[in-house]
Structures are given as C-alpha cells and as structure tokens.
Amino acid sequence: SLMPKEPIKSIWQNKMPGFMKPVTRWFSRPNTVRGRVSNLMRWRFRGQWKCGEDRIGNEYYLYQPFPETPIRRFVIFRHGQTDMDNLPFLWYQWIRYQRNYPPTQTELDEYDQYLLDVAEKAAKIKERDDLERAQHPEFYAEQQKNFDQAQQDMTNKAQREVIALFASREKGLRIAAENKVEKMKQAQDIIQADRRHWTDSQYKDMVESYHDPKSVEPRDVEETVDPETQSADDIDSNAQQKHFKPGAWRPWQDDEDDEDEADKEDKDQQSQRQSEKR
C-alpha cells in the first residue's frame, strides 16, 4: 500500500535550532564580506536575501522565488516562536511595510538609547511620586477617592446610555410592528370593500340584464290543471305562457327546451321502430 507523503516542513514550526545554526548565523552576518557572499549565493539558488538581525537574534529576509513574483518580507525567529509583538519597533515597521528600507545599526542604537532614557525618566517620576505619597498620604488618598468616584460616574453614565439606546431601539421596533399591523388591517379592509363592491356590481348587472326584475324573484307555484278537462287551444296557450315571457329570459329555459326536444326525438324513434316491426 502507498504510504502518505510527509508534510512539508515550514520555517514557522516551533522547534529549537540545530547545532549548526550558530555557524550559519556567523557566516551570514550582515554588513560583512562573508555575509555579502552568503547573500549572493542564497539569492542565486533560493531567492532569499538576509537584511539583518535584531538584538534578540531574529533574522529578517527578502524573498522572491521567481523573477515574475513580487518581493516578500519575512522573519525567522530565533527559538521558533511566532509572536510578532516581541519584535523591535523598527524591525516591526519594516516587516509590516511601514518603512521602505531596513533599519541601520545606528538607528537601532538610537532607538535603544531612547527606550533607556524613557525608562530612566519613568523610574525617576515613580520615585518622586512614591516620596510625595509617603509625605502627604491624606492628599493622595483624597485624589484616589476622587478618581474612583469619577470612574464610577463614567461607568454609570455609560450604562445609562446603553440602557437608553436599547430602550429607544425596542420602542422603534414596537412602533414599526404596530405600523405594519395597521397597514395590513387597512389593506384587508380595502380588499373586503373591493370584494363587496364587485359582488354588488355583479348582482346589479345581472338584475339590469332582465327587463322585468321580478322574473328573478321567487314566485308561487302555479296550480296544476288536469289536461283532459282542457281543450287543445288552452293547453298551447298555457305552454306558451309557461315557457315564454316577453322580455324575461331564464337561464334554465334553454336546458329544459333541449331536454324536451331530446325526449320528443326518442319517442318518435321508438314509435317508428314499433311500426316497422309490425
């Protein structure tokens, strides 16, 4: 069976440097003849150029694997850590592309001296404050009390502002929901009114289509008369009055006429068949 390939080892892995690392650092130290020769060889075969080292021992490089790719900047930490906060300020600016050129040794020394001066001034100020606090404890206790009170007031103010913000937002959401419900009710009322108007108009059009509006109203059932006691003329007149009324058309009249004609045709066909059999 095929074994899986080993993962590619990265320069960012957390491990201690080997025993040859001090030798390579000495050979590739910048601003020396051996360091320039090492950079030329490394740039020719690996596309890397060592720009410098900091006082911690981290190495800073330029990287261009192919001529058509842009030049990148990266750092190799001394003990394999990847915490960018521990880098010196000037090298941090360079690695983040905040300055175009790597810092020189003179700039690094000046910045280190600036940090030492700031630390010395801070120590003197702290010593003076401690001495004054020892001489005037009541004054500094009152100042600390005022500071705590001001901080508490600011905290309470921030809490009130947050509560007011959430209350206003909740009020706005409630008003928006109420407006939406009101609009839905208005739309429903409009739909119902349009529906009633359409129904009334349809009924009105149907009534107006008849010349006699009473024809669509229910009527009493006519009294049945025995056809044997009536003459032929009375039967024809009653049939005409029953199935025809000038100016009044009934939707069911056509269906009844079609059924009567179909029954009459069936009776005629049956009578013809009986006469042929005879």
Side-chain angles (χ1 to χ4, degrees):
S1 61
L2 297 177
M3 297 296 294
K5 295 182 179 180
E6 295 182 359
I8 299 175
K9 295 182 180 180
S10 174
I11 60 176
W12 302 102
Q13 57 187 350
N14 189 6
K15 67 176 184 178
M16 296 296 293
F19 67 95
M20 290 296 294
K21 191 63 177 176
V23 178
T24 57
R25 284 181 182 275
W26 177 85
F27 184 73
S28 62
R29 188 176 300 278
N31 303 323
T32 59
V33 176
R34 62 179 183 274
R36 183 170 179 81
V37 173
S38 176
N39 277 337
L40 291 174
M41 295 176 61
R42 189 185 293 107
W43 185 261
R44 174 66 178 81
F45 296 104
R46 301 182 63 181
Q48 297 179 3
W49 186 276
K50 186 174 181 180
C51 296
E53 297 180 359
D54 56 17
R55 63 179 182 276
I56 305 174
N58 302 322
E59 298 177 300
Y60 300 89
Y61 288 87
L62 294 174
Y63 179 60
Q64 188 182 23
F66 303 102
E68 61 274 7
T69 58
I71 298 177
R72 307 291 185 182
R73 302 176 184 180
F74 71 93
V75 57
I76 298 179
F77 295 95
R78 182 175 182 180
H79 299 296
Q81 71 273 14
T82 59
D83 189 5
M84 299 291 289
D85 297 335
N86 294 331
L87 296 180
F89 178 69
L90 297 180
W91 281 112
Y92 183 85
Q93 284 184 327
W94 180 81
I95 202 71
R96 292 297 185 184
Y97 298 88
Q98 296 177 2
R99 57 183 298 159
N100 297 327
Y101 301 98
T104 60
Q105 188 62 35
T106 304
E107 292 176 342
L108 292 173
D109 294 340
E110 291 178 355
Y111 185 73
D112 292 341
Q113 186 62 37
Y114 166 75
L115 294 179
L116 292 175
D117 294 341
V118 171
E120 186 178 355
K121 291 179 181 179
K124 290 181 179 179
I125 293 173
K126 186 176 184 302
E127 183 180 358
R128 185 190 62 186
D129 291 344
D130 293 341
L131 181 60
E132 290 183 356
R133 285 192 179 90
Q135 293 177 357
H136 308 283
E138 298 84 3
F139 175 75
Y140 283 95
E142 186 67 21
Q143 279 192 344
Q144 185 66 30
K145 183 179 179 181
N146 295 335
F147 175 77
D148 295 340
Q149 184 63 31
Q151 189 174 9
Q152 185 66 28
D153 295 342
M154 292 177 63
T155 303
N156 296 336
K157 182 180 178 181
Q159 291 179 355
R160 289 194 298 270
E161 290 178 354
V162 171
I163 293 172
L165 178 63
F166 277 98
S168 62
R169 184 179 180 184
E170 183 180 1
K171 182 179 179 181
L173 292 175
R174 185 176 66 254
I175 293 174
E178 292 176 356
N179 294 337
K180 187 174 181 180
V181 172
E182 186 65 24
K183 289 181 179 179
M184 291 176 64
K185 289 182 179 179
Q186 293 178 1
Q188 189 68 21
D189 295 340
I190 292 172
I191 292 171
Q192 294 294 338
D194 292 342
R195 187 174 297 171
R196 288 193 299 269
H197 177 71
W198 182 82
T199 305
D200 296 341
S201 63
Q202 290 292 323
Y203 179 76
K204 184 177 180 181
D205 294 341
M206 185 183 65
V207 172
E208 290 179 353
S209 63
Y210 297 99
H211 295 286
D212 186 5
K214 295 183 179 181
S215 61
V216 298
E217 297 178 358
R219 297 181 302 178
D220 298 335
V221 180
E222 298 180 357
E223 297 180 358
T224 57
V225 182
D226 189 4
E228 295 179 358
T229 60
Q230 289 183 341
S231 60
D233 296 336
D234 295 335
I235 294 173
D236 294 337
S237 61
N238 291 333
Q240 291 179 0
Q241 292 178 1
K242 182 178 180 182
H243 296 286
F244 175 74
K245 188 173 183 181
W249 171 82
R250 300 180 183 84
W252 60 85
Q253 184 175 348
D254 295 339
D255 298 338
E256 291 181 353
D257 294 342
D258 295 339
E259 292 177 359
D260 294 342
E261 291 179 359
D263 294 340
K264 187 176 180 181
E265 290 178 359
D266 293 340
K267 289 180 180 179
D268 294 341
Q269 291 178 2
Q270 290 179 2
S271 61
Q272 289 178 3
R273 291 175 183 172
Q274 290 178 1
S275 61
E276 288 177 359
K277 287 181 180 180
R278 291 177 181 176

